[in-house]
């Protein structure tokens, strides 16, 4: 099941993102469920995340999201998890 995680950073939280980035990337590599990922950009700066998870079910996506170092560091203002269907690419 593919799940799109769409997260918006808290205002003024760019330094949290920068400080936690290496841990977040290591988590992505260690978990092995991220199909695609990258930052959302606003005004030339990172302002959120789009992550496509390939997981068994929504509960697994919720668990992944809760344990993401970015989430644990308090980076996000809000997070959406939405089932996604790949059509192109």
């Amino acid at each position: 099941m593919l799940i799109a995680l769409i997260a918006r950073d808290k205002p003024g939280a760019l330094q949290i993102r920068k400080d936690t980035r290496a841990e977040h990337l290591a988590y992505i590599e260690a978990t092995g469920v991220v199909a695609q990922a990258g930052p959302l950009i606003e005004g030339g700066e990172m302002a959120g995340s789009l992550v496509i998870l390939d997981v068994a079910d929504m509960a697994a996506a919720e668990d992944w999201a809760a344990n993401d170092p970015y989430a644990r560091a308090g980076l996000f203002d809000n997070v959406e998890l939405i089932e996604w269907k790949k059509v192109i690419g």
Side-chain angles (χ1 to χ4, degrees):
M1 164 181 263
L2 295 174
I3 304 291
L5 180 155
I6 303 165
R8 295 288 190 158
D9 294 357
K10 290 179 181 173
L14 181 59
Q15 193 60 49
I16 294 171
R17 176 176 282 277
K18 289 178 178 180
D19 292 346
T20 314
R21 187 169 189 266
E23 189 179 352
H24 167 73
L25 294 175
Y27 179 68
I28 286 174
E29 186 173 331
T31 57
V33 298
V34 175
Q36 297 180 47
L40 302 175
I41 307 295
E42 292 181 346
E45 296 287 343
M46 294 178 287
S49 297
L50 171 61
V51 180
I52 304 297
L53 300 168
D54 189 351
V55 292
D57 53 31
M58 185 60 78
E62 291 167 350
D63 182 66
W64 191 94
N67 289 293
D68 178 4
Y70 279 167
R72 289 195 334 246
L75 174 62
F76 300 132
D77 190 32
N78 62 63
V79 176
E80 284 185 90
L81 293 168
I82 305 167
E83 186 174 350
W84 182 68
K85 180 179 178 182
K86 181 178 178 179
V87 176
I88 297 172

